[in-house]
Amino acid sequence: MMTCEKSWLDPKVGFQPTDQQVITYFLKKKISGNPLPMNMVIDEVQFRNYNPTQLSKMYGFANQKESYFFTPLFRKYRNSNVVERKAGDGYWKSISREQQIEEGNVTIGYKRLLQFYKGRKQKHSSKTNFYMSEYNMGVHASTESAFLYEWVLCKVYEEKGENDNVPYLNSDSHTAEDVAGAQILLDLKMHYYGRKKRRLVPIELSELSFDIIIEILSWLPVTSLLKFKCVCKQWCSLIGKHEFIAKHMDRASPIQISYQYKWDPRTLLYDENFKCTSDYAGLFLEKSVDSQVYRIRNHATHQVLYLPHSHDGTGSMGFVFNSSTGECKVVCPFNCKNGSRGYKVITVGKDDQWRPMKFPDRKGAVLKRYHFGVSKVDGAAHMVETVRDGQDLYLEVQSFDIWSESITTTALPRGVSLDLEKVSVLSWNVETLAVASIVEESLNILVLEDFKEHKWSENKKIPLKFLKDDPLLKDQLRLRQAHWDELVFSNAVENNIVRYDMKREMIFKVTTLSKKSMGEYSTYKKPSLVTLKGMRPKS
C-alpha cells in the first residue's frame, strides 16, 4: 500500500490495489465501520445522480488512470435484487458476469465490470469510453431496505478512444516474424478493448521498443502466448522467464473452470478421475480417486506432472511455489510403525525420490494427530498432536518450514482454557493455523501467529449465545473455519453446515448436506504460464 500521508487523489501518488486488497483493506473496513488504512479518503457518491464526466469534473480525476468511490446500490423494484443502474443522463450496463475474488481457497468478495452508456433508452443510447469495476462483499442489505448493498466500492476509469495507434503492416519488406509480431500486437488491442471493429493506424514494428512489446504481451491470454512462443527465440525466452510469468499472472483475467463438488467425502473434482487437494499460482495438486497417485496440473497450459509414489505417506500432500525462481516443493506427512513421524519432501524437477524429515522424539502417547496442511502465508506444513504423558495432557505443533527444510516444535501455553480432548484444528482467516474448543457457552481460540518465534495469540473468547437455547449442540458441532467475522461449523448428527456471524452474534445460515448428490459448479481462477520441469501435455 502507500507509504505517505498524501491524499490518494494526488495524481503523483500511485494507488493500484489488487482485488483482494480492495475487499480486505477498504470495502470490508467501510462496511464494518472501521477506519481506512493510512488515513486515506475515498469519497462517498450516489452514482445514480451523476454521469462519469460530471464525476471527473467534481473530483478532478481526469488526469488519473482510475479513481475510487464508495456508493450504495439501490433496488430497481421493491422486494427485488435487480439493481437500479441509472446515472445522470445515462446508465451503467454490465458487460461481464460477476467474478469471485478469492484469498487462498475462500471467496472474500465479488467483482463486476460495467460500461457507461449515454442516453436513457437502450435503442437511443451510445457507448462511452468510461468503465467501472464494481466490488461487493456478497451480503445483501435487509429486504426491508431500499438498498441491495449499502456500500460497494467502484473503480472508475476511461479508456482511450477509437483512434489509438494500432500496429499494422502494409509493406512486403517485413519478415515473417515481423508480420506475426504485428498481428499479435493487433490481437492484444482487440482483446483488451473488446472492439469488434477498429480503425487501423499504420505503424512500423521497428518503432516499438522491446520494453513496450513486453508490456503489451503481458496482457495477452495464455492461449495466445503459447502460440506466440514460436514467433522468435527472443519471444520464446521472454514468455518462459519467471519475472514475465509473475507479471502476466498478476494482470491476467480469471478463467472459468468447471468442477464437481461432493459432500461426503468432501471432494473437489476438476477431472473425473482426480480430486483437487490444493492450488496455488495457477497450479493444481490432484490425487487419483482410485489410488495414491498424485500429480500437478496447469489448467491453462493443459500440462501435467506425475509425482513419485510415497509408499508410507499418510494424509494429503501439499506444495509451495516461488514465483521469483520457479522452484516448487511438495511435502507429504508420514508416520511409521516404529514411531518415527515427520514429512517427506521433493523439489520438483530435481529430486526423483522423497527425502524424509523426521520430527524430534517425544515422550508420551499421541491421542490425536491432525495434519493442517501447507500454509501459503508462512510456507510451512503443520502437524498438531495431542499427547498424554502420565497424568499430563498437552498439545504440540510440529512445523516444517518447507523452504529451509527445518522443523520447529511449538507447545500450546499451559493453563489455557481449552478442552484438549475435544480441541478442533482450523484455519483462521484463510491460511493461519488455530486451535479451538467450546467451553461452556463460548468458543475459545488461540492462533499460532509466528511458529518460528513460538508465538500464540491471546485467548480469543467468542460468545455462542445460541447454545443457551440448545445446549446439546455443544457436543455435536465441530468448528471447521474462522475467517473475518464468520465461523463455520459442521454438525454430523444433523448433517448440515452452520454459519455463525461473530459480529452480530447469531446463526445466519444452515445448509443441509446431501451425501449422495454431487453438484456441478464452476469457479474462476487466474491462469498461469508456469511450466515445471518434467511437465507433459495432458493426454
Side-chain angles (χ1 to χ4, degrees), residues 283 294-298 301-308 326 328 347-352 530-538:
L283 299 174
Y294 278 83
R295 72 182 187 185
I296 297 178
R297 177 158 68 130
N298 186 325
T301 63
H302 306 288
Q303 292 179 311
V304 296
L305 170 67
Y306 287 87
L307 300 173
C328 179
T347 301
V348 177
K350 181 179 179 181
D351 297 329
D352 295 327
V530 173
T531 299
L532 302 177
K533 184 178 179 180
M535 272 190 159
R536 297 290 182 267
K538 180 178 177 294

Side-chain angles (χ1 to χ4, degrees), residues 266-281:
R266 294 186 177 188
T267 306
L268 288 178
L269 297 170
Y270 289 95
D271 182 293
E272 61 181 6
N273 298 317
F274 284 82
K275 63 180 182 181
C276 179
T277 62
S278 62
D279 68 274
Y280 187 61

Side-chain angles (χ1 to χ4, degrees), residues 138-164:
V139 181
H140 293 174
S142 169
T143 54
E144 300 178 357
S145 171
F147 301 131
L148 178 61
Y149 297 106
E150 187 172 1
W151 293 113
V152 298
L153 195 149
C154 298
K155 178 176 72 175
V156 182
Y157 55 96
E158 184 179 11
E159 287 189 352
K160 296 181 180 181
E162 293 283 333
N163 295 327
D164 302 338

